[in-house]
Amino acid sequence: MITVRTIPELRAAIAAHPGTGRPGKGRPAFVPTMGNLHDGHIALVRQARPLGDVLVASIFVNRLQFLPHEDFDSYPRTWEADCAKLEAAGCDIVFAPRESDLYPEPQTFKLQPDPQLADILEGHFRPGFFTGVCTVVMKLFSAVFFASGGGTAVFGKKDYQQLMVIRRMVQQFALPVEVVAGETARADDGLALSSRNGYLSTAERAQAVQLSAALRALAQAAQAPGAPPLAALEQQALQTLAQQGWAPDYLTVRQRHDLQPPAAGAAAGTLVALGAARLGSTRLIDNLEF
Ligand code: PAF
């Protein structure tokens, strides 16, 4: 596994990689990350391994997707442990730009994602978040796929709205990138693995499973015959979580494909329950397809 810092170095390393036996002909499989890798990330890397000739992972904590009061400065940076895990998972190239490598001049051009998809849910509570995500992902895609003419990128379903936004971006800009979804990895008690779980105290960690439990209860209630209106079920779910000591931002049922409220009589297998809530000072998100 090699590490590269700059976009020209990355393009040269991909072109030189003998993945197909024909340097310059390999198609990358790509997993973008912000580091502090856990088993969920590594599952995405393993999933990506057979999807390309050369496997690239990026580690870059992207300032553009953090609000001023958020945890950009304290976001855990665990470089050596991350590299060991990536190497063991079969990664060929780690792209780890310094800020000055990815943004050598202020990034004054930014991507404005569709507000109907990106200004709701996470985008409502974290304004500008998806502008930051799309801008960096477009730049990473340009760095990884430009020379090879395209390839495959793997994104986790844990960040469900992010996956949908990136899919829409790829479709609308006709990018030669196949976006593949990876299932959410969970701890034994059901808590979705997340870099931010490390912020939880022992007591909070024991309680944290309540978010996925609330989403499961909401999904079950929504599917029950003669269920009350969704708005009432969502309100009840918010109240339950609040009574357990959380500060919920949203708990809601949406159509998977556009994250809008479901049409009447929506078929089973087309919906997703999504939630975000703060436990102490840690904000967690999760979702459940049903
Ligand atoms: O999901 C993440 O870790 C980040 O949002 C991503 C896709 C690496 C962009 O910074």
Short mmCIF file of all heavy atoms in Angstrom, two decimals, residues 144-167:
data_model
loop_
_atom_site.label_atom_id
_atom_site.label_comp_id
_atom_site.label_asym_id
_atom_site.label_seq_id
_atom_site.Cartn_x
_atom_site.Cartn_y
_atom_site.Cartn_z
N VAL A 144 -9.60 10.89 -8.38
CA VAL A 144 -9.47 9.43 -8.46
C VAL A 144 -9.81 8.91 -9.87
O VAL A 144 -9.15 8.00 -10.37
CB VAL A 144 -10.41 8.76 -7.42
CG1 VAL A 144 -10.42 7.24 -7.59
CG2 VAL A 144 -9.98 9.12 -6.00
N PHE A 145 -10.86 9.47 -10.47
CA PHE A 145 -11.40 8.84 -11.68
C PHE A 145 -11.03 9.55 -12.98
O PHE A 145 -11.27 9.01 -14.05
CB PHE A 145 -12.94 8.76 -11.58
CG PHE A 145 -13.42 7.89 -10.45
CD1 PHE A 145 -14.16 8.41 -9.40
CD2 PHE A 145 -13.14 6.53 -10.44
CE1 PHE A 145 -14.61 7.60 -8.36
CE2 PHE A 145 -13.59 5.71 -9.41
CZ PHE A 145 -14.31 6.25 -8.37
N PHE A 146 -10.47 10.77 -12.88
CA PHE A 146 -10.21 11.57 -14.08
C PHE A 146 -9.36 10.81 -15.10
O PHE A 146 -9.73 10.69 -16.27
CB PHE A 146 -9.51 12.87 -13.66
CG PHE A 146 -9.15 13.78 -14.80
CD1 PHE A 146 -10.09 14.66 -15.32
CD2 PHE A 146 -7.88 13.75 -15.36
CE1 PHE A 146 -9.76 15.50 -16.37
CE2 PHE A 146 -7.54 14.58 -16.41
CZ PHE A 146 -8.49 15.46 -16.91
N ALA A 147 -8.25 10.24 -14.61
CA ALA A 147 -7.30 9.64 -15.55
C ALA A 147 -7.82 8.33 -16.13
O ALA A 147 -7.53 7.99 -17.27
CB ALA A 147 -5.96 9.42 -14.85
N SER A 148 -8.63 7.60 -15.34
CA SER A 148 -9.05 6.27 -15.78
C SER A 148 -10.40 6.29 -16.48
O SER A 148 -10.87 5.25 -16.95
CB SER A 148 -9.10 5.33 -14.58
OG SER A 148 -9.87 5.94 -13.58
N GLY A 149 -11.06 7.44 -16.50
CA GLY A 149 -12.34 7.53 -17.21
C GLY A 149 -13.50 6.96 -16.43
O GLY A 149 -14.59 6.77 -16.99
N GLY A 150 -13.32 6.68 -15.16
CA GLY A 150 -14.47 6.25 -14.35
C GLY A 150 -14.13 5.03 -13.50
O GLY A 150 -13.02 4.49 -13.56
N GLY A 151 -15.11 4.62 -12.72
CA GLY A 151 -14.92 3.48 -11.82
C GLY A 151 -16.07 3.40 -10.84
O GLY A 151 -17.17 3.90 -11.11
N THR A 152 -15.79 2.82 -9.69
CA THR A 152 -16.84 2.55 -8.69
C THR A 152 -16.49 3.20 -7.37
O THR A 152 -15.33 3.14 -6.94
CB THR A 152 -16.95 1.02 -8.48
OG1 THR A 152 -17.22 0.42 -9.75
CG2 THR A 152 -18.07 0.66 -7.52
N ALA A 153 -17.48 3.81 -6.73
CA ALA A 153 -17.27 4.38 -5.39
C ALA A 153 -18.26 3.75 -4.43
O ALA A 153 -19.44 3.56 -4.79
CB ALA A 153 -17.46 5.90 -5.43
N VAL A 154 -17.81 3.43 -3.24
CA VAL A 154 -18.66 2.78 -2.25
C VAL A 154 -18.94 3.75 -1.10
O VAL A 154 -18.01 4.32 -0.51
CB VAL A 154 -18.01 1.48 -1.71
CG1 VAL A 154 -18.92 0.81 -0.69
CG2 VAL A 154 -17.70 0.53 -2.86
N PHE A 155 -20.22 3.96 -0.81
CA PHE A 155 -20.66 4.83 0.28
C PHE A 155 -21.56 4.02 1.21
O PHE A 155 -22.39 3.22 0.75
CB PHE A 155 -21.48 6.01 -0.25
CG PHE A 155 -20.65 7.06 -0.95
CD1 PHE A 155 -20.26 6.88 -2.27
CD2 PHE A 155 -20.25 8.21 -0.29
CE1 PHE A 155 -19.49 7.82 -2.92
CE2 PHE A 155 -19.48 9.16 -0.94
CZ PHE A 155 -19.09 8.97 -2.25
N GLY A 156 -21.44 4.25 2.52
CA GLY A 156 -22.23 3.50 3.49
C GLY A 156 -23.65 4.02 3.59
O GLY A 156 -23.91 5.21 3.48
N LYS A 157 -24.58 3.08 3.85
CA LYS A 157 -25.98 3.47 4.08
C LYS A 157 -26.16 4.16 5.42
O LYS A 157 -27.22 4.72 5.68
CB LYS A 157 -26.88 2.23 4.04
CG LYS A 157 -27.14 1.70 2.66
CD LYS A 157 -28.23 0.63 2.74
CE LYS A 157 -28.37 -0.09 1.42
NZ LYS A 157 -29.33 -1.22 1.53
N LYS A 158 -25.17 4.05 6.29
CA LYS A 158 -25.27 4.74 7.59
C LYS A 158 -25.57 6.22 7.37
O LYS A 158 -26.37 6.82 8.07
CB LYS A 158 -23.94 4.53 8.33
CG LYS A 158 -23.63 5.50 9.43
CD LYS A 158 -24.43 5.20 10.66
CE LYS A 158 -23.99 6.01 11.85
NZ LYS A 158 -23.70 7.39 11.58
N ASP A 159 -24.91 6.83 6.38
CA ASP A 159 -25.17 8.22 6.01
C ASP A 159 -26.12 8.19 4.81
O ASP A 159 -25.73 8.46 3.68
CB ASP A 159 -23.86 8.95 5.69
CG ASP A 159 -22.96 9.01 6.91
OD1 ASP A 159 -23.34 9.66 7.89
OD2 ASP A 159 -21.89 8.37 6.91
N TYR A 160 -27.37 7.85 5.10
CA TYR A 160 -28.32 7.50 4.04
C TYR A 160 -28.58 8.69 3.12
O TYR A 160 -28.59 8.56 1.89
CB TYR A 160 -29.64 7.06 4.70
CG TYR A 160 -30.48 6.19 3.81
CD1 TYR A 160 -30.30 4.81 3.78
CD2 TYR A 160 -31.46 6.74 2.98
CE1 TYR A 160 -31.07 4.00 2.96
CE2 TYR A 160 -32.22 5.94 2.15
CZ TYR A 160 -32.02 4.57 2.15
OH TYR A 160 -32.77 3.77 1.33
N GLN A 161 -28.79 9.85 3.73
CA GLN A 161 -29.10 11.03 2.90
C GLN A 161 -27.88 11.39 2.06
O GLN A 161 -28.02 11.77 0.89
CB GLN A 161 -29.52 12.20 3.80
CG GLN A 161 -30.08 13.38 3.04
CD GLN A 161 -30.55 14.48 3.95
OE1 GLN A 161 -30.39 14.39 5.18
NE2 GLN A 161 -31.13 15.52 3.40
N GLN A 162 -26.70 11.25 2.62
CA GLN A 162 -25.47 11.52 1.86
C GLN A 162 -25.41 10.60 0.63
O GLN A 162 -25.09 11.05 -0.49
CB GLN A 162 -24.24 11.29 2.74
CG GLN A 162 -22.92 11.29 1.99
CD GLN A 162 -21.73 11.24 2.92
OE1 GLN A 162 -21.32 12.26 3.45
NE2 GLN A 162 -21.17 10.05 3.13
N LEU A 163 -25.73 9.32 0.83
CA LEU A 163 -25.72 8.38 -0.30
C LEU A 163 -26.69 8.84 -1.39
O LEU A 163 -26.36 8.82 -2.58
CB LEU A 163 -26.10 6.99 0.25
CG LEU A 163 -26.37 5.88 -0.75
CD1 LEU A 163 -25.11 5.51 -1.51
CD2 LEU A 163 -26.92 4.64 -0.02
N MET A 164 -27.90 9.27 -0.99
CA MET A 164 -28.90 9.71 -1.98
C MET A 164 -28.45 10.98 -2.70
O MET A 164 -28.64 11.14 -3.90
CB MET A 164 -30.25 9.96 -1.30
CG MET A 164 -30.84 8.72 -0.68
SD MET A 164 -31.08 7.41 -1.93
CE MET A 164 -30.83 5.97 -0.95
N VAL A 165 -27.84 11.90 -1.95
CA VAL A 165 -27.37 13.16 -2.54
C VAL A 165 -26.26 12.88 -3.55
O VAL A 165 -26.25 13.41 -4.66
CB VAL A 165 -26.92 14.14 -1.43
CG1 VAL A 165 -26.17 15.33 -2.02
CG2 VAL A 165 -28.11 14.61 -0.60
N ILE A 166 -25.33 12.01 -3.18
CA ILE A 166 -24.21 11.70 -4.09
C ILE A 166 -24.74 10.98 -5.33
O ILE A 166 -24.31 11.26 -6.46
CB ILE A 166 -23.14 10.83 -3.37
CG1 ILE A 166 -22.53 11.58 -2.19
CG2 ILE A 166 -22.06 10.36 -4.34
CD1 ILE A 166 -21.78 12.84 -2.54
N ARG A 167 -25.69 10.07 -5.14
CA ARG A 167 -26.28 9.39 -6.31
C ARG A 167 -26.90 10.40 -7.25
O ARG A 167 -26.73 10.31 -8.46
CB ARG A 167 -27.36 8.40 -5.85
CG ARG A 167 -26.79 7.14 -5.31
CD ARG A 167 -27.79 6.00 -5.47
NE ARG A 167 -27.11 4.74 -5.39
CZ ARG A 167 -27.48 3.74 -4.59
NH1 ARG A 167 -28.55 3.84 -3.83
NH2 ARG A 167 -26.80 2.62 -4.59
#
